[in-house]
Amino acid sequence: LTNCMFAANSAGKYGGGLYTLEGAPTLTNCTFTNNSGRYGGGGIFNGGGAPTLTNCTFSGNSGNTGGGMRTTGSAAILNNCTFSANWSSHWGGGMYNEHGAPRLTSCVFTANWSIDSGGGGMFNYDGYPNLSHCTFTNNSGRYGGGMYNYSGTPTLANCMFIGNMAGDSGGGMYNRSGSAVLGNCTFSAN
């Protein structure tokens, strides 16, 4: 899919804009705006598989988990994607990753929020995401304004966390029962 727009769609369960299962679709220059998935993945829900997203934008999407995108058991590849002003009622305003190993390069998470729990920008549950040169700015959540890691081993290199806020703990990042590996990362004004 190239130069496609998914706007104002909704789903009673998952994937308001797009639902993919065990596939490897390629999306380039696509936009997901104001979509909602009741249980998760307002913009996209991906179960298994390995989709590749390049230069895609997620804005104003919502869901219970993963307002912008939810991945479960996925090896998704995201290059130069932007998540802005997405929200979730529980986990991962911008993106929610569960039991997967997505790879994100040069992605931006800004002004996303989770209302009840945490991971305003991104929430990782028992997964192994790999992030390089990603930026988290002005995201908010109860725990882990920028990122919340629960179990698993996320690896981050050359990432920046600036101006994120948590209502309880971990303005920039909150780690629980996991082993996050960080190299050359910056945390400022969280």
Side-chain angles (χ1 to χ4, degrees):
L1 294 89
T2 304
N3 300 321
C4 294
M5 177 180 283
F6 298 81
N9 300 289
S10 65
K13 290 191 177 181
Y14 299 99
L18 178 65
Y19 182 101
T20 66
L21 182 64
E22 299 177 2
T26 299
L27 288 79
T28 306
N29 299 323
C30 292
T31 302
F32 295 82
T33 305
N34 298 325
N35 300 289
S36 65
R38 182 175 179 192
Y39 295 129
I44 293 179
F45 174 88
N46 172 248
T52 299
L53 288 77
T54 303
N55 299 325
C56 292
T57 301
F58 297 82
S59 64
N61 301 289
S62 63
N64 182 281
T65 55
M69 181 177 190
R70 176 175 172 165
T71 62
T72 300
S74 171
I77 298 170
L78 285 76
N79 299 303
N80 198 37
C81 292
T82 299
F83 293 81
S84 66
N86 301 287
W87 65 274
S88 70
S89 56
H90 286 90
W91 307 105
M95 182 175 180
Y96 177 95
N97 169 53
E98 179 179 16
H99 306 302
R103 189 173 74 223
L104 288 74
T105 304
S106 300
C107 292
V108 174
F109 293 81
T110 185
N112 301 287
W113 71 96
S114 59
I115 295 172
D116 181 49
S117 299
M122 185 176 188
F123 181 89
N124 298 300
Y125 176 74
D126 195 28
Y128 300 89
N130 187 311
L131 287 78
S132 175
H133 296 93
C134 293
T135 304
F136 293 80
T137 58
N138 301 316
N139 300 288
S140 62
R142 184 173 175 195
Y143 300 96
M147 179 183 285
Y148 186 127
N149 300 307
Y150 185 90
S151 191
T153 306
T155 301
L156 289 80
N158 303 303
C159 293
M160 297 193 316
F161 292 79
I162 301 169
N164 301 287
M165 183 176 68
D168 192 308
S169 304
M173 180 184 286
Y174 184 89
N175 293 296
R176 180 176 177 184
S177 304
S179 302
V181 178
L182 286 73
N184 298 318
C185 292
T186 300
F187 291 81
S188 175
N190 298 291

